Amino acid sequence: EPEVTQTPSHQVTQMGQEVILRCVPISNHLYFYWYRQILGQKVEFLVSFYNNEISEKSEIFDDQFSVERPDGSNFTLKIRSTKLEDSAMYFCASRDTATNEKLFFGSGTQLSVL
Amino acid sequence: QKEVEQDPGPLSVPEGAIVSLNCTYSNSAFQYFMWYRQYSRKGPELLMYTYSSGNKEDGRFTAQVDKSSKYISLFIRDSQPSDSATYLCAMKGGFNKFYFGSGTKLNVKP
């Protein structure tokens, strides 16, 4: 069964460093998302991406965050200068067409900022 | 008022019990309603998906939507220890945005 894959599964970084989280959405999907979940808290929307541009973003997604689809398969989230409060599980998700509302998630990248 | 409200639990039941999980929401424009199951430190897994009001059944799981009350439910019959997880309700609003509840942690005791 097709699935969303994320790498790495765990990323440890120093405060102020840049990190790039990588995702390979399901191949025929057109809509891509990043969510995050701080331990014990709710899944929070960060950004949605369609047709090579951001379609919506949350207040969390400030200038330190960026997303990119560098080729036909990868979808990345970059945090330019990490803060302690960026420590969370980051989930990538995708869905196929505008009429299919089923959102599929990857297994996540646990980001730890020290 | 939050867009989606969900009792965080935890909810502890004996094996074989019927489980009822619920969410309320505030935005009457929501049309698509989903339930996800999330095991510890894993990504949410889509369980059930419904459009508008009514019931949908899949094996031991039944999803129910009452748009007039802005209330959705997930029922699990004959619950199993393997059902122990956090259950998230979600709904779609706007063009491309999904709203999640905070999740209800369920523990099914053998």
Side-chain angles (χ1 to χ4, degrees), chain B residues 13-16 19 37-40 45 47 60-61 76-87 106-110:
Chain B
V13 301
E15 183 175 354
V19 175
R37 177 174 60 197
Q38 186 179 24
Y39 293 112
S40 182
E45 170 196 8
L47 264 183
R60 296 185 294 112
F61 298 88
I76 307 173
R77 289 183 298 281
D78 187 25
S79 55
Q80 303 294 310
S82 58
D83 295 328
S84 297
T86 296
Y87 289 80
L106 172 67
N107 181 32
V108 181
K109 297 175 290 185

Side-chain angles (χ1 to χ4, degrees), chain A residues 2-21:
Chain A
E3 59 180 16
V4 177
T5 57
Q6 288 185 246
T7 55
S9 58
H10 197 178
Q11 173 91 47
V12 181
T13 190
Q14 295 292 323
M15 189 170 56
Q17 294 296 304
E18 175 184 287
V19 293
I20 297 176
L21 309 183

Side-chain angles (χ1 to χ4, degrees), chain A residues 48-110:
Chain A
S48 59
F49 191 88
Y50 170 70
N51 200 26
N52 284 320
E53 61 182 24
I54 290 172
S55 51
E56 286 194 67
K57 60 183 181 180
S58 72
E59 292 175 354
I60 302 167
F61 194 88
D62 61 21
D63 292 344
Q64 293 301 312
F65 291 85
S66 62
V67 289
E68 195 176 38
R69 187 154 164 82
D71 53 41
S73 59
N74 290 284
F75 180 52
T76 62
L77 174 70
K78 182 193 289 186
I79 309 174
R80 287 190 186 81
S81 178
T82 50
K83 307 184 189 73
L84 296 176
E85 54 265 36
D86 293 329
S87 296
M89 181 75 95
Y90 287 80
F91 293 110
C92 174
S94 69
R95 66 185 176 100
D96 56 7
T97 69
T99 57
N100 187 340
E101 313 307 333
K102 297 178 185 177
L103 192 60
F104 293 90
F105 283 82
S107 295
T109 293
Q110 178 65 54

Side-chain angles (χ1 to χ4, degrees), chain A residues 2-4 24-30 32 69 72-73 94 96:
Chain A
E3 59 180 16
V4 177
V24 179
I26 295 173
S27 63
N28 62 335
H29 285 191
L30 301 177
F32 313 115
R69 187 154 164 82
S73 59
S94 69
D96 56 7

Side-chain angles (χ1 to χ4, degrees), chain A residues 31 33 35 37 39 41-43 45 48-50 55-56 89 91 95 99-107 110, chain B residues 2 4 32 34 36 38 41-46 49 56 88 92-103:
Chain A
Y31 298 81
Y33 306 79
Y35 285 82
Q37 187 175 32
L39 188 63
Q41 297 186 26
K42 69 186 298 181
V43 175
F45 169 75
S48 59
F49 191 88
Y50 170 70
S55 51
E56 286 194 67
M89 181 75 95
F91 293 110
R95 66 185 176 100
T99 57
N100 187 340
E101 313 307 333
K102 297 178 185 177
L103 192 60
F104 293 90
F105 283 82
S107 295
Q110 178 65 54
Chain B
K2 291 181 184 176
V4 182
Y32 299 93
M34 290 142 280
Y36 285 83
Q38 186 179 24
R41 306 184 80 79
K42 297 289 186 186
E45 170 196 8
L46 182 63
Y49 161 81
K56 184 174 181 179
L88 305 164
K92 183 171 176 281
F95 170 64
N96 206 15
K97 193 170 177 182
F98 291 76
Y99 297 83
F100 283 81
S102 54

Side-chain angles (χ1 to χ4, degrees), chain B residues 9-81:
Chain B
L11 183 60
S12 188
V13 301
E15 183 175 354
I18 296 174
V19 175
S20 172
L21 304 166
N22 311 293
C23 285
T24 58
Y25 62 95
S26 58
N27 190 337
S28 57
F30 288 159
Q31 296 280 356
Y32 299 93
F33 306 92
M34 290 142 280
W35 285 96
Y36 285 83
R37 177 174 60 197
Q38 186 179 24
Y39 293 112
S40 182
R41 306 184 80 79
K42 297 289 186 186
E45 170 196 8
L46 182 63
L47 264 183
M48 298 285 288
Y49 161 81
T50 55
Y51 170 70
S52 201
S53 284
N55 290 0
K56 184 174 181 179
E57 191 173 315
D58 184 1
R60 296 185 294 112
F61 298 88
T62 300
Q64 193 173 76
V65 174
D66 181 350
K67 291 195 73 182
S68 62
S69 302
K70 299 192 184 71
Y71 189 86
I72 69 171
S73 300
L74 177 70
F75 298 97
I76 307 173
R77 289 183 298 281
D78 187 25
S79 55
Q80 303 294 310

